[in-house]
Amino acid sequence: PQLPGVVGRGTSRDKDIPVILAELRCWTAGYSGPSVERLIVTSSNHPRSVDPTAIAQQAVATGFTVELREDVRSALTRAATAARLLARSSETDPIVLATGSLFVVAEAREAYGLAPDLSEEH
């Protein structure tokens, strides 16, 4: 079954995106469970983020179905919707995978209310 995945590419410009996408493709091909077929490409708010359009083009060339979203929060919302739709026609529970950079993961944690409270007042 397909696994909706969010590849939130707040990946920094100095990262080798084709290698990252190839590894994700290899991982899903060798995994005994669901595979990632759909990527919802976005970028973090970090100034070193790669343009998501460039990542989307490379992801399509790697064999993924790709959607673009302007920010991590909207990408997660879209992935959750796709997962719910897939769950209706699947025997397994789909997973939303947020990956890319620590910046993307931090924004995903914040969107899900999992960010640590770093304020001085607890």
Side-chain angles (χ1 to χ4, degrees):
Q2 290 185 351
L3 170 68
V6 178
V7 172
R9 283 300 171 204
T11 301
S12 300
R13 291 184 195 108
D14 61 338
K15 303 303 178 200
D16 193 340
I17 296 166
V19 169
I20 293 169
L21 291 169
E23 287 295 322
L24 184 59
R25 174 56 73 199
C26 289
W27 175 78
T28 62
Y31 184 59
S32 62
S35 64
V36 175
E37 301 293 337
R38 179 183 311 171
L39 302 181
I40 302 171
V41 179
T42 188
S43 65
S44 74
N45 292 321
H46 196 275
R48 287 183 19 214
S49 293
V50 173
D51 176 4
T53 304
I55 297 164
Q57 292 170 344
Q58 293 177 44
V60 168
T62 308
F64 290 104
T65 300
V66 176
E67 293 182 49
L68 283 169
R69 291 294 183 262
E70 71 263 4
D71 57 41
V72 172
R73 187 176 295 274
S74 64
L76 290 170
T77 299
R78 175 62 186 115
T81 300
R84 281 192 299 277
L85 292 173
L86 185 58
R88 293 179 186 166
S89 63
S90 175
E91 294 178 13
T92 61
D93 291 333
I95 298 168
V96 173
L97 171 67
T99 186
S101 71
L102 291 176
F103 306 116
V104 169
V105 174
E107 288 182 40
R109 288 177 53 88
E110 185 176 300
Y112 283 122
L114 301 172
D117 182 4
L118 300 177
S119 68
E120 292 183 36
E121 298 176 20
H122 291 282

